[in-house]
């Protein structure tokens, strides 16, 4: 008869096993208490985390924001108890045992998935699978860009990313690893929790991939180890660090829920509370006698030492910052504070001047290109890029040097046709600090990047998404390439500032507003087609930063009608107003470049801008959903009610009835309804 | 001095080269005339298409809908002139030379990117890169599922997919190839237009991947050939067909814009009109004297023969259908007509009966699971699946057998953690015909799948997306997993029917409405948490199919107040109504399970349902954008104004003020505003 008594492999190093068991028991006990959560990952990866933190991770729990710390991310964010356990054990002050006990409860720092800002030491919000992989690429790239600027003395750290099978199944993983391999990010190290289990069951239900060969095909260094063999883990990390011209992936064969007597190695260990019996069995199996949430004194002391061991290195680094060349030091400290250069606004002014001098109509994407030409010179921290649409997005400033494999002294990234990866890499760069990233694609492909855009908004970081060809005005490429629902769909994301400037001056103002907000994710929608200059005497106040404002007040008496518009339709509103005023209708035009900012204004201001509730019209070459709130029951909308069509720009606008005549007619209907 | 006179490699077969040149000149001349488009791909892949169509493709241009035709897709949809050229040359009746001349003009069949429904022979809408790769996987899988049911005699065809470098950079490509390799789809053959050029320049700007190794790591058969060597192309296709237990990728090294004297092989050939001079040079280089849009008689005749050569095979197939076993024949013909089994509605009735008998509250995801148990038995064409959330999504019916590598006699697919790939594969299955696909994930991850969901709506196909855990009611997993903006963002997609049933009976009704609409993409949002049965006496009419209806009319006289709600908030509205009626406020509750369908009702009906414009309240645990149109200026909204939070369901609802008390309070405010 085979012996079916549960057992665990003997440890190579009993002390390390005991340290790892601290993670295991905090995790399983917290999940059990919450009756919810995912114990399998932290229990399976505990040995890896223990070796990494005790022998490699450069950090100091007393200064979580130390710039030159190694970054540690869990892309498999459902294993959040791994991170919370480590933060508590290594002594992050805001991660108390109470927080651990309140895992997944309202108001705690210990949300179901790691939430950036909830506690120090949480480097990014993860949970949607694969995001952390790409965030890690962004951080590792940011580190190299900073290194190229400030040298080894100031910027020289690793980015370590834990991830699971699910992360590797998500398409974003391929975008991330392809870019990292291409860019030769040698200080990026992934640890794959290769446990062969997913929620539906064995991963073999859905995959036959050879991930080792896959990573190698993307120019990665790959090792395969037993993820519970602490000697092997140590050796692998040393080897990975030695490889400087390729990122490294360590394929760690693990047992999910390591320590569970019956659930270990099965999908039952992945999610949900294990049950008292299973936990009792784990205590026996791992020889653990402490009650829940109590860590034996010697082990807590050992972990706290791990959390403190980086102190000297941090102090030495701080000295290096202070003793660096004065200019370098000042620039570095400015960036660390997140302050923009003293005179950066001059770049905006210069851009406006150049735009005002233009003798021809400009597309807002062109205007944006002009603004970026000025900004890139004033803001060395600006890191541009595009998902293979550089000439169309006008994202590359004249002065920007391209970043290339092994060459990081630049400020422009060719992301390839990888919108999702680009957006998540941008998030990683923004999270890393010291840099302000933006990246471009067509607005319609914001859909490809949407999960990462959402996380940027949730994390309240200054990720900037430049989205051109922002309507049916894209013309011949047709419905697949014409955004219709995207503006409304993006405005629906809480906290995301969606800008759609209506002329070159507004474009400059929107860029200024974006850069003025270090804790707000932004998306700027820009036209393919040229449009007239409407703000001929812009003045010094940034009107676009109010979100909405009266571009042209009614003349000849009290306002009777308000036409609201954005972007390439703003000039239609202006032309319609001319006709209406000529007919005696006292008409104002309201430009609304950013609904989010407008809604943050005082009720009085908003009322003043929007004017009387009766007789309102909105014009936008998109669906009306985000306008309904300003229109009431009797307002009229000129815009899209279906997908677009392939054709010349003018033909397409005509086909869908987005014309000056249509605006005039809708305005008259709105007036009639108001007086009815 | 080196000879810099432009040249092209000599053809292996001059006749095939001339046939290929028909594609080249139609493409470049059409792009030139439109002053817009992408000539590079069709010119580069013309030789491959010529060999494929003349010697392998099973089709008959006179019967574009012949079920057992080989499917041909261009995932690199910007090369649409490739497809239009082939359709014209092989004699599809609706693809006239006028259409070719009107390339990219409004109203033509020849949109910038191939649009499904615009012309026969367009198997799917492509353009957003990578989608066609995954559609192809869906079609090849559908073919095998049909084959397992109906045998080689009825279903036995290939799926051929052209794609470019950009398709391979998109993450969805990895999801598609991983799934296809896992499922051993031997009748799927990709042709990679390996031209090393993208819009920004050489692909080496952004990638260093070894795609050959990458495909092999995903269990694909890979060959590498010169894409202009017609002998090599022929041999490679023969070899690919011989491999029956793996999909095949043929890496075709090509010259983009093959035939252009100066732009060939550069990014200048990728997009935009080449210019008269370049075209004149190409005519000289390729020895082509015909004027634009004129194909030499012998070549057109040859192409038309190619388009007709499948006729006999098609006739033989039709005989096999007619002579098949009677039951098989009847079932096959029913599926081809797209009709549901005569008595399928009995499954809905049986499900309702079971749901009415339930003694406990059910989550709508559970109710959906019950409905699927009945439907799966009544509808053998129903093909379910989930992106690794089967136990959470309740997507697997009891009777459904799992599809596995090489085993296609089933009706449930484990898609892995690949939401985007799943959605695009679902589109491919729906496009293929004979099957009705659905697949599940969490609603928040609809973002990952959004580009494919959009295309389903655009193509008007019956792709069904089952999205559970549809609000903050998901609880402990927290903000990353709690959809907030998704309902509004999805409702903004033109033509997408977004259902959110409010009790088990509505769940059954929504499924019925979904299945009743063969040309409408649908997404059904389902709760994690249980909710009470509200429709205790459902009657036979499908009220949910009206989109919105009066669940409870005001009592005691004329209606004063209307509370609208969906899904898990519907019962809050019902409870609030009770309190309000008790206070003497004559209150109606309107359930709005599908805004799209509601908006399609007559104005009278809508007015009757929505009631007086004054005093309206909407309740939905989501942002309000899609409700504004029904609320006017004075209505009140109870829902979300930010991202969610991690915690127990009740705690989370309380934190965000989505409670019966809040609805009552908002109602009273709305009443006050109305009477003010």
């Amino acid at each position: 008869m085979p012996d079916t008594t549960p057992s665990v492999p003997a440890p190579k190093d009993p002390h390390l096993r005991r340290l790892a068991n601290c993670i295991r028991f905090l995790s399983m006990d917290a999940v059990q208490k919450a009756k919810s959560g995912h114990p399998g990952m932290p229990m399976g990866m505990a040995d890896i985390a223990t070796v990494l933190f005790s022998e490699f991770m450069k950090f100091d729990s007393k200064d979580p924001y130390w710039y030159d710390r190694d970054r540690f991310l869990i892309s498999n964010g459902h294993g959040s108890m791994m991170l919370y356990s480590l933060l508590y054990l290594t002594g992050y002050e805001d991660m108390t045992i109470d927080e651990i006990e309140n895992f997944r409860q309202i108001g705690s720092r210990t949300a179901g998935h790691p939430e950036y800002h909830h506690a120090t030491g949480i480097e990014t919000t993860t949970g949607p699978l694969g995001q952390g992989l790409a965030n890690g690429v962004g951080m590792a790239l940011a580190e190299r860009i900073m290194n190229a600027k400030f040298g080894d003395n100031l910027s020289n750290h690793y980015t370590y990313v834990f991830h699971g099978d699910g992360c590797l199944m998500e398409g974003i993983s391929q975008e991330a690893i392809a870019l990292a391999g291409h860019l030769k990010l040698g200080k990026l190290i992934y640890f794959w929790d290769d446990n062969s289990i997913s929620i539906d069951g064995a991963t073999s239900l859905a995959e036959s991939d050879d991930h080792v060969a896959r990573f190698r095909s993307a120019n990665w260094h790959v090792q395969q180890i037993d993820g519970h063999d602490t000697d092997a883990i140590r050796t692998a990390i040393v080897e990975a660090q030695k490889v400087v011209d390729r990122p490294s992936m360590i394929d760690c064969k693990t047992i999910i829920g390591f320590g569970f007597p019956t659930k270990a190695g099965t999908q039952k260990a992945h999610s949900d509370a294990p049950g008292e019996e299973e936990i009792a069995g784990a205590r026996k199996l791992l020889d653990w006698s402490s009650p829940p949430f109590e860590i034996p004194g010697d082990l807590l002391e050992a972990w706290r030492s791990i959390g403190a061991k980086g102190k000297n290195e941090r102090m030495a680094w701080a000295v290096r910052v202070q003793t660096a060349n004065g200019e370098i030091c000042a620039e570095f400290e400015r960036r660390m504070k997140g302050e923009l250069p003293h005179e950066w606004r001059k770049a905006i002014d210069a851009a406006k001047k150049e735009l005002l001098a233009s003798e021809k109509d400009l597309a807002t994407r062109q205007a944006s290109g002009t603004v970026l030409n000025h900004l890139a010179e004033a803001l060395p921290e600006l890191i541009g890029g595009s998902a293979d649409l550089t000439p169309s997005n006008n994202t590359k400033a004249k002065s920007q040097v391209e970043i290339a494999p092994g060459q990081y002294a630049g400020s422009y990234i060719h992301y390839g046709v990888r919108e999702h990866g680009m957006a998540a890499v941008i998030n990683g760069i923004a999270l890393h600090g010291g840099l302000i990233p933006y990246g471009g694609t067509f607005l319609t492909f914001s859909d490809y990047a949407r999960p990462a855009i959402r996380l940027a908004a949730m994390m309240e970081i200054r990720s900037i998404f430049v989205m051109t060809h922002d309507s049916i005005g894209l013309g011949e490429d047709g419905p697949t390439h014409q955004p219709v629902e995207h503006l409304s769909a993006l405005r629906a994301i809480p906290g995301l500032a969606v800008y759609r400037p209506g002329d070159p001056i507004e474009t400059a103002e929107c860029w200024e507003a974006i850069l003025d907000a270090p804790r707000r994710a932004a998306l700027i929608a820009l036209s393919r087609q040229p449009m007239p200059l409407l703000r001929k005497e812009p003045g010094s106040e940034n009107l676009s930063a109010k979100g909405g404002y009266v571009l042209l007040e009614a003349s000849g008496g009290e306002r009777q009608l308000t036409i609201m518009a954005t972007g390439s339709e703003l000039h239609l509103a202006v032309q319609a107003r001319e006709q209406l005023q000529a007919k005696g209708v006292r008409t104002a035009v309201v430009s609304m470049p950013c609904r989010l900012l407008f809604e943050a204004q005082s009720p009085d201001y908003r009322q003043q801008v929007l004017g009387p509730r009766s007789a309102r019209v909105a014009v936008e070459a998109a669906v009306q959903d985000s306008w309904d709130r300003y229109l009431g029951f009797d307002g009229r909308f000129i815009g899209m009610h279906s997908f677009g069509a392939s054709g010349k720009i003018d033909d397409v606008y005509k086909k869908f009835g987005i014309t000056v005549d249509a605006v005039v007619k809708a305005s008259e209907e709105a007036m009639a309804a108001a007086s009815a």
Side-chain angles (χ1 to χ4, degrees), chain A:
Chain A
M1 250 178 74
D3 181 8
T4 56
T5 313
S7 66
V8 288
K12 281 276 168 74
D13 179 323
H15 179 60
L16 289 175
R17 170 67 62 85
R18 288 186 72 223
L19 287 175
N21 287 344
C22 299
I23 298 169
R24 293 193 172 99
F25 284 96
L26 286 175
S27 298
M28 74 181 100
D29 288 333
V31 171
Q32 180 63 22
K33 189 175 177 207
K35 299 269 184 299
S36 153
H38 304 82
M41 179 289 233
M43 294 173 70
M45 297 190 85
D47 298 308
I48 306 162
T50 300
V51 175
L52 178 65
F53 271 71
S54 63
E55 303 180 22
F56 296 91
M57 269 290 288
K58 179 171 75 170
F59 75 111
D60 180 350
S61 65
K62 293 293 170 281
D63 186 0
Y65 299 110
W66 170 26
Y67 166 79
D68 206 31
R69 70 192 181 278
D70 290 338
R71 304 299 195 271
F72 174 70
L73 289 72
I74 54 167
S75 186
N76 40 4
H78 52 276
S80 55
M81 271 310 302
M82 162 65 77
L83 185 53
Y84 304 147
S85 298
L86 287 165
L87 296 178
Y88 165 68
L89 290 168
T90 58
Y92 284 74
E93 285 174 4
D94 54 353
M95 190 56 71
T96 62
I97 197 70
D98 281 355
E99 294 289 348
I100 303 288
E101 291 198 49
N102 277 313
F103 178 53
R104 291 184 156 236
Q105 302 310 305
I106 206 95
S108 76
R109 297 181 185 279
T110 47
H113 294 79
E115 299 287 338
Y116 185 63
H117 290 316
H118 278 215
T120 60
I122 299 176
E123 302 280 7
T124 180
T125 295
T126 52
L129 293 175
Q131 297 291 331
L133 294 180
N135 294 163
V137 174
M139 291 184 192
L141 177 56
E143 191 279 332
R144 284 294 89 187
I145 295 171
M146 291 290 281
N147 176 277
K149 171 87 183 176
F150 297 105
D152 283 351
N153 270 343
L154 270 52
S155 185
N156 195 15
H157 52 265
Y158 286 94
T159 302
Y160 299 107
V161 184
F162 279 15
H163 64 89
D165 298 290
C167 293
L168 296 188
M169 292 192 214
E170 293 286 4
I172 190 175
S173 67
Q174 187 63 25
E175 301 184 22
I177 70 173
L179 193 64
H182 173 66
L183 291 173
K184 301 186 174 176
L185 299 176
K187 294 179 84 76
L188 175 65
I189 300 177
Y190 282 6
F191 297 84
W192 171 25
D193 186 19
D194 181 8
N195 59 34
S196 308
I197 292 294
S198 65
I199 290 175
D200 274 10
T203 53
S204 60
L205 277 176
E207 71 169 3
S208 311
D209 312 46
D210 176 349
H211 289 302
V212 168
R214 180 183 160 206
F215 272 82
R216 286 188 177 134
S217 80
N219 197 35
W220 282 60
H221 173 257
V222 183
Q223 302 170 78
Q224 295 179 274
I225 62 167
D226 172 353
H228 303 295
D229 176 342
T230 48
D231 290 349
I233 296 164
R234 180 182 306 112
T235 306
I237 298 174
V238 169
E239 286 302 312
Q241 292 187 340
K242 279 186 197 158
V243 179
V244 297
D245 63 346
R246 273 178 296 162
S248 262
M249 191 273 272
I250 305 175
D251 170 358
C252 307
K253 196 69 209 163
T254 61
I255 298 165
I256 192 170
F258 181 102
F260 279 147
T262 73
K263 298 187 171 183
T266 76
Q267 74 264 39
K268 288 179 191 160
H270 188 285
S271 315
D272 300 331
E276 296 294 353
E277 196 177 337
E278 191 73 12
I279 289 184
R283 282 192 148 68
K284 205 166 150 194
L285 208 51
L286 296 175
D287 192 21
W288 189 263
S289 56
S290 288
F293 308 110
E294 272 188 42
I295 300 296
D298 63 322
L299 295 179
L300 188 58
E301 201 175 317
W303 269 114
R304 291 286 153 94
S305 303
I306 291 167
K309 73 182 163 43
K311 184 179 175 185
N312 289 344
E313 204 166 349
R314 173 170 66 82
M315 306 285 274
W317 174 86
V319 170
R320 290 200 300 275
V321 173
Q322 293 309 320
T323 55
N325 162 305
E327 210 171 302
I328 288 281
C329 173
E331 174 70 5
F332 188 78
E333 293 201 322
R334 177 183 75 73
R335 298 231 201 148
M336 290 306 102
K337 284 186 217 148
E339 287 173 0
L340 301 184
H342 190 54
E343 300 202 314
W344 78 278
R345 254 175 253 275
K346 286 189 176 169
I348 296 289
D349 294 338
K352 282 187 193 167
K353 205 169 158 189
E354 184 178 337
L355 292 168
L356 285 169
S358 169
E359 285 174 8
K360 53 174 193 175
D361 289 358
L362 292 175
T364 47
R365 65 177 169 136
Q366 294 171 303
S368 173
T370 299
V371 174
L372 286 172
N373 281 339
H374 290 275
L375 284 176
E377 296 204 353
L379 294 173
E381 60 264 53
L382 211 54
I383 304 294
S386 167
D388 196 42
L389 288 169
T390 296
S392 301
N393 298 145
N394 299 63
T395 33
K396 187 167 178 299
K398 284 179 197 161
S399 66
Q400 281 176 329
V401 171
E402 293 172 5
I403 287 164
Q407 296 167 21
Y408 309 106
S411 56
Y412 195 81
I413 302 166
H414 288 287
Y415 284 104
V417 190
R418 304 185 184 105
E419 300 84 6
H420 197 182
M422 174 176 72
V425 167
I426 282 174
N427 290 349
I429 296 173
L431 287 161
H432 178 271
L435 303 170
I436 302 176
Y438 69 88
T441 184
F442 287 171
L443 180 58
T444 192
F445 301 135
S446 64
D447 277 352
Y448 275 74
R450 198 169 161 92
I453 294 172
R454 177 176 210 247
L455 285 169
M458 192 179 289
M459 291 192 279
E460 299 177 351
I461 55 177
R462 189 168 41 194
S463 295
I464 307 168
F465 306 105
V466 180
M467 301 277 167
T468 70
H469 297 60
D470 69 351
S471 75
I472 54 167
L474 165 142
E476 289 89 344
D477 273 348
T480 55
H481 284 50
Q482 292 168 351
V484 165
E485 71 277 23
H486 300 73
L487 291 168
S488 277
L490 289 161
R491 287 173 186 143
I493 298 177
L496 179 70
V498 179
Y499 296 89
R500 189 170 189 246
D503 90 337
I505 294 302
E506 280 197 1
T507 307
E509 289 183 340
C510 289
W511 269 109
E512 187 182 19
I514 290 168
L515 290 165
D516 263 331
R519 287 190 54 171
R520 192 165 58 216
L523 181 146
I524 183 165
L526 301 165
S527 75
R528 176 191 179 199
Q529 74 270 36
M531 55 184 76
L533 182 69
L534 298 172
R535 293 274 303 282
K536 289 178 185 159
E537 292 169 8
S540 61
E541 191 184 13
N542 186 335
L543 295 175
S544 300
K546 295 170 179 286
Y549 65 96
V550 179
L551 174 70
L552 293 168
E553 191 44 277
S555 67
E558 205 176 330
R559 190 196 301 187
Q560 293 173 291
L561 175 81
T562 304
I563 309 179
M564 301 169 274
T566 73
S568 47
E569 287 69 64
L570 186 57
H571 73 99
L572 301 183
V574 169
Q575 290 175 62
R577 174 183 175 275
E578 270 174 44
Q579 292 190 23
L580 289 159
Q581 283 280 161
K583 294 182 187 187
V585 183
R586 299 188 298 276
T587 307
V589 171
V590 165
S591 178
M592 186 79 81
C594 182
R595 190 182 77 163
L596 185 90
L597 297 186
F598 181 67
E599 302 235 319
Q601 303 299 320
S602 70
D604 279 356
Y605 176 80
R606 280 182 282 153
Q607 179 54 46
Q608 177 200 323
V609 169
L610 294 173
R613 285 181 165 193
S614 57
R616 290 186 188 170
V617 175
V619 196
E620 187 169 74
V623 301
Q624 75 184 74
D625 299 37
S626 55
W627 290 97
D628 283 327
R629 65 183 59 171
Y630 304 128
L631 293 174
F633 295 120
D634 293 319
R636 291 291 184 277
F637 180 74
I638 296 294
M640 295 296 293
H641 303 277
S642 68
F643 290 111
S646 172
K648 293 195 176 70
I649 295 181
D650 290 349
D651 292 345
V652 176
Y653 269 82
K654 210 168 290 166
K655 177 181 169 71
F656 294 107
I658 304 176
T659 62
V660 174
D661 286 349
V663 178
V664 170
K665 186 156 170 280
S667 298
E668 290 169 344
E669 284 172 17
M671 288 288 290
S675 62

